[in-house]
Amino acid sequence: MKVDLKSYEQYLKEHLSEKRFQHSVNVSEASAALAERFGCADPEKARFAGLVHDICKEEPEDVQYTWMMRSPMDVCEEERKAFKVWHGIAGAEMLRTQFHVTDEDVLHAVRFHTVGRCGMSPLEQIVYLADMISAERDYPGVEEMRRKTQESLADGMYAALVASLQKLLHRGALIPHHTVEAYNEYAAMLQKKEG
């Protein structure tokens, strides 16, 4: 996949804080590294999807809402009530509409990088995990998350979804059905592997 990353980097520099831009670069690098490690996705496509995953993150709330509501992808009620996840849905729609990105795998990777979903492609898993383990991340348990992700994408996804659900439950937040379905899929995979 050939994309002019420089033009996207320039756009991101103009629309994101320095910290968020650096995070995007780190996720881009982590995505490419995971794609190379596991050989299940095009590293250049992974680099691009990682770079643009937060393209809408710092847009005003009304802008994110407008992009999100234009999305043809399934946007559930729980997502519509959770501002923290709007940027993924909005970002995918902005990439599709404003930047004419037609690669559905890239669009899905951006759209689902916060909530996950059942049946994620390798690229979607890579961007989801790269976002959680990028170089600047320093939350409690990040080293364990990195270790699990290096073992396999499935192990990483299971650990990431458990952590995500625990955080949502702790906050008393609504949980999108996409996240629950993703958790069930990876939990079943793990049970089968151990079983």
Side-chain angles (χ1 to χ4, degrees):
M1 177 181 195
K2 281 285 165 223
V3 174
D4 179 13
L5 287 182
K6 290 284 174 225
S7 65
Y8 282 97
E9 283 175 1
Q10 190 56 47
Y11 179 87
L12 293 172
K13 274 183 186 169
E14 292 167 7
H15 290 84
L16 297 176
S17 64
E18 195 175 320
K19 185 179 176 184
R20 180 66 49 187
F21 175 73
Q22 190 55 57
H23 167 68
S24 298
V25 169
N26 291 348
V27 172
S28 177
E29 289 171 4
S31 294
L34 288 172
E36 283 169 13
R37 176 173 178 77
F38 294 109
C40 57
D42 174 0
E44 289 313 304
K45 190 189 283 198
R47 186 179 302 283
F48 173 59
L51 182 68
V52 297
H53 80 286
D54 271 352
I55 196 165
C56 260
K57 180 76 174 182
E58 293 177 344
E59 291 294 331
E61 195 170 320
D62 61 323
V63 173
Q64 288 190 39
Y65 184 81
T66 300
W67 280 117
M68 174 181 67
M69 295 309 288
R70 287 183 189 162
S71 176
M73 296 187 201
D74 173 26
V75 182
C76 68
E77 186 65 27
E78 293 78 16
E79 289 173 308
R80 286 195 290 272
K81 291 179 177 174
F83 174 64
K84 281 180 181 256
V85 305
W86 290 2
H87 71 279
I89 306 161
E93 189 54 25
M94 176 194 262
L95 287 165
R96 180 196 312 273
T97 308
Q98 188 172 316
F99 292 93
H100 310 292
V101 173
T102 57
D103 189 311
E104 288 296 320
D105 205 13
V106 169
L107 296 172
H108 279 101
V110 172
R111 189 264 181 256
F112 289 103
H113 83 268
T114 55
V115 296
R117 70 169 177 149
C118 187
M120 292 172 85
S121 72
L123 180 66
E124 290 175 72
Q125 295 172 64
I126 282 167
V127 174
Y128 186 95
L129 291 168
D131 188 28
M132 293 197 77
I133 64 166
S134 61
E136 84 292 348
R137 295 289 197 197
D138 63 356
Y139 57 85
V142 70
E143 289 307 326
E144 177 67 5
M145 191 71 69
R146 288 181 178 129
R147 188 182 67 72
K148 292 271 190 201
T149 298
Q150 292 303 318
E151 286 172 13
S152 79
L153 292 178
D155 288 350
M157 285 301 302
Y158 178 74
L161 288 160
V162 166
S164 178
L165 285 167
Q166 286 172 337
K167 200 160 80 174
L168 291 167
L169 289 167
H170 182 74
R171 285 204 328 253
L174 296 172
I175 301 173
H177 71 85
H178 303 295
T179 308
V180 175
E181 289 162 7
Y183 166 78
N184 286 338
E185 179 182 41
Y186 288 99
M189 245 186 255
L190 200 65
Q191 287 169 4
K192 193 173 176 184
K193 193 168 102 177
E194 291 172 352

